[in-house]
Amino acid sequence: MAGESNGAPTGAPAAHDGKKNAPAPATPTAAPANTEKLTAAQLKAKAKAEKAARRAQVKDARAAAAVAPPAQDKGGAGADAKGKGKGKQDGQQSQNKGGHLQAHRPSMSGRRPSMPFFEKDVRGGIPESFSHVPMAKRIPTSQAHKDVHPTVLAVGQQMAAFAIKDSISRLRAMLLAFRKVIESYETPEGNSLSRHLVPHVLNPQIEYLTECRPMCFAMGNAIRLLKGKVNKFDIDAAEEEAKEDLLEWIDVLLNERITLAEYAIARNAAESINEGDTILTYGRHRLVEKTLLDAKQSGKSFDVTIIDDPYEREGQELAQTLRQAGIPVLYSPNLGGLRPKVAAASNVFLGGEAIFANGSLQASSGTADVAMAAENAGVKVIVLCETINFDRDRVSVDSLTYNEIDPERNTADCFRLLFDNTHEKYITGVMTEFESGGGNSPAQAILALLRKQEDPLIA
């Protein structure tokens, strides 16, 4: 089989003879003449069009492979449908018994052919009704854009492997990587930083991170604010001064919107815990964990009930941490017996990935079940979330509009969504770094905070 895989495909001699009969100088001489006349904007538009065409070819090839017989060694539509998706079809044919491998044509973009590990169709078992839901995937570094910074390459791989998982950790890693990008940036001659940095430097980094894993709302807000900061620079601004200003802005954002925000939220939430309370939480969230530890350090005695995610099992680590701190913990490995546990609680503390403009909460799958059970039992549900995770423009009423498919639990028979959506009526209040949500609904708290604070980072 090794000899067959290295040999030329069946149709290769005919194609070679066709090249001999064709006028060879025609194509090479015409292409450079056209490319020399294109402006930078036209070249960028052409590259986008070519990328869209390649994606369409890959999609068509996948659809054809699902309907047509798996082994096609000769001619016909199979050869025409390959294009950019040829590597994937070759990977599928290599699994057929007695099949002949097609030879790889050179990539027109200069990229190496994908390895079989990356060519696997991981979305094959997902129904068409969920085809719009994205999923993290590992992108070979050889297929990344040439302008992607090495630090961003490493961060993207960690995000795709879920080594960096929650929204704030991903935001921090992204900002620190962008800091490295800005430090190494030099404005080309004849350009200005305010006009060149975003489209030619930052955008390739953002596109690569988005391909590795769908962008969370905190990352989207930070990118929007960073681009706004860059665009405010004067076209004649000195490069070194502009770079120092950007680096200082990133440091302030990391300090105020992440570090100090975590401290303030934990302090406010810890003050709401009374002596002898029973706090119930779901899974493990860093803000809830810090709140409980701060409350214990202040001398309060209380109990904690942990309802764990049956898939992630992160609540086990939280239970061990709290027990080491001297906090009595009741641990439940799943949602079984949820109602009596919620009815015995004084408050329910939940961490969130994002809060939408209509007050709905995006959090780990299973959070909505806990919130609904608490609302039915008359127990207050308090959400802990930084304002960098707030989205003033978008609303969400279900778990299908903004979500991700768990790549580790995606098979031909079933798949799992990473997040769910909790309606605002099941949430008593939201606590942020600015103030406690109190008895207000989350939607009112979000809008009031973003308007009243007049924070330039938000506005």
Side-chain angles (χ1 to χ4, degrees):
M1 291 301 294
E4 292 179 1
S5 62
N6 294 329
T10 306
H16 184 68
D17 295 339
K19 287 185 179 180
K20 287 182 177 180
N21 297 331
T27 303
T29 55
N34 294 334
T35 54
E36 291 179 358
K37 298 180 181 179
L38 296 179
T39 63
Q42 291 173 335
L43 288 174
K44 185 176 180 181
K46 181 180 178 182
K48 288 184 177 180
E50 292 177 351
K51 185 176 181 181
R54 290 195 299 268
R55 288 180 176 176
Q57 289 180 347
V58 172
K59 186 175 181 180
D60 294 341
R62 290 177 179 174
V67 177
Q72 286 184 350
D73 297 332
K74 297 183 180 181
D80 297 334
K82 296 192 180 221
K84 189 67 177 178
K86 182 176 178 68
K88 174 174 174 53
Q89 293 186 1
D90 291 339
Q92 293 175 342
Q93 291 178 359
S94 63
Q95 300 176 0
N96 298 331
K97 295 182 179 180
H100 296 278
L101 293 179
Q102 299 278 347
H104 287 280
R105 290 182 297 177
S107 174
M108 299 302 294
S109 61
R111 296 177 178 178
R112 298 178 182 177
S114 300
M115 297 299 293
F117 174 79
F118 298 103
E119 295 166 357
K120 181 181 178 181
D121 186 8
V122 295
R123 300 182 64 93
I126 299 176
E128 184 66 24
S129 57
F130 291 89
S131 60
H132 67 284
V133 183
M135 179 172 58
K137 59 180 179 180
R138 297 188 182 184
I139 306 297
T141 55
S142 60
Q143 292 186 356
H145 193 279
K146 62 182 180 63
D147 294 331
V148 177
H149 195 274
T151 305
V152 178
L153 287 173
V155 170
Q157 294 297 317
Q158 291 176 330
M159 289 183 180
F162 283 76
I164 304 176
K165 187 174 182 181
D166 67 279
S167 60
I168 295 299
S169 299
R170 293 163 62 191
L171 170 62
R172 181 186 285 110
M174 182 194 72
L175 290 176
L176 292 176
F178 283 179
R179 204 179 192 284
K180 294 288 186 180
V181 173
I182 295 173
E183 287 177 349
S184 61
Y185 171 76
E186 294 182 0
T187 306
E189 185 177 356
N191 291 277
S192 64
L193 181 143
S194 61
R195 301 296 182 264
H196 182 268
L197 179 62
V198 170
H200 299 282
V201 179
L202 289 182
N203 282 348
Q205 324 297 325
I206 297 169
E207 291 176 2
Y208 174 75
L209 293 178
T210 305
E211 288 181 358
C212 291
R213 186 180 175 187
M215 190 177 301
C216 64
F217 293 95
M219 294 170 62
N221 288 334
I223 289 173
R224 174 177 54 85
L225 298 173
L226 177 59
K227 288 184 175 181
K229 179 70 176 178
V230 174
N231 292 334
K232 289 180 181 179
F233 286 130
D234 188 83
I235 193 172
D236 297 325
E239 177 182 330
E240 291 302 322
E241 295 180 1
K243 289 171 60 175
E244 288 296 330
D245 196 6
L246 283 177
L247 296 177
E248 181 181 357
W249 181 88
I250 291 178
D251 292 339
V252 170
L253 186 68
L254 288 168
N255 186 47
E256 294 184 356
R257 305 300 292 276
I258 298 180
T259 306
L260 295 180
E262 180 177 320
Y263 169 80
I265 293 173
R267 180 196 60 190
N268 294 337
E271 292 176 355
S272 66
I273 299 178
N274 300 318
E275 190 76 17
D277 279 354
T278 298
I279 306 300
L280 184 142
T281 187
Y282 179 73
R284 184 186 188 185
H285 193 276
R286 52 187 179 73
L287 290 179
V288 176
E289 180 177 352
K290 184 171 178 57
T291 295
L292 298 176
L293 293 176
D294 288 355
K296 181 62 178 178
Q297 291 177 359
S298 65
K300 296 180 180 179
S301 298
F302 57 92
D303 299 337
V304 175
T305 300
I306 300 176
I307 308 296
D308 204 359
D309 186 336
Y311 295 96
E312 301 296 339
R313 299 293 188 186
E314 294 181 343
Q316 294 179 353
E317 300 177 4
L318 176 60
Q320 293 176 359
T321 302
L322 297 181
R323 284 170 179 165
Q324 291 175 359
I327 302 175
V329 176
L330 174 63
Y331 174 81
S332 177
N334 50 51
L335 296 173
L338 176 62
R339 289 188 177 182
K341 295 182 179 67
V342 170
S346 306
N347 292 311
V348 174
F349 282 0
L350 299 174
E353 288 287 312
I355 298 181
F356 296 92
N358 62 335
S360 60
L361 168 70
Q362 184 188 60
S364 301
S365 293
T367 303
D369 298 279
V370 176
M372 287 187 287
E375 197 271 341
N376 292 333
V379 180
K380 292 191 297 184
V381 178
I382 307 299
V383 174
L384 313 181
C385 189
E386 301 91 339
T387 54
I388 194 65
N389 289 314
F390 290 174
D391 195 313
R392 292 187 297 173
D393 302 324
R394 286 174 283 193
V395 299
S396 179
V397 295
D398 55 44
S399 300
L400 302 180
T401 307
Y402 305 104
N403 212 322
E404 294 181 47
I405 294 176
D406 189 348
E408 296 181 358
R409 297 172 180 87
N410 172 38
T411 65
D413 300 326
C414 63
F415 65 93
R416 175 176 179 262
L417 297 178
L418 289 176
F419 308 109
D420 62 17
N421 184 275
T422 304
H423 196 273
E424 64 167 329
K425 70 178 181 179
Y426 301 115
I427 301 174
T428 306
V430 57
M431 288 190 178
T432 68
E433 64 267 31
F434 293 141
E435 63 181 32
S436 168
N440 298 327
S441 67
Q444 295 173 350
I446 294 169
L447 297 177
L449 285 171
L450 297 183
R451 293 191 184 104
K452 183 177 65 174
Q453 295 298 329
E454 297 181 352
D455 189 342
L457 294 177
I458 299 178

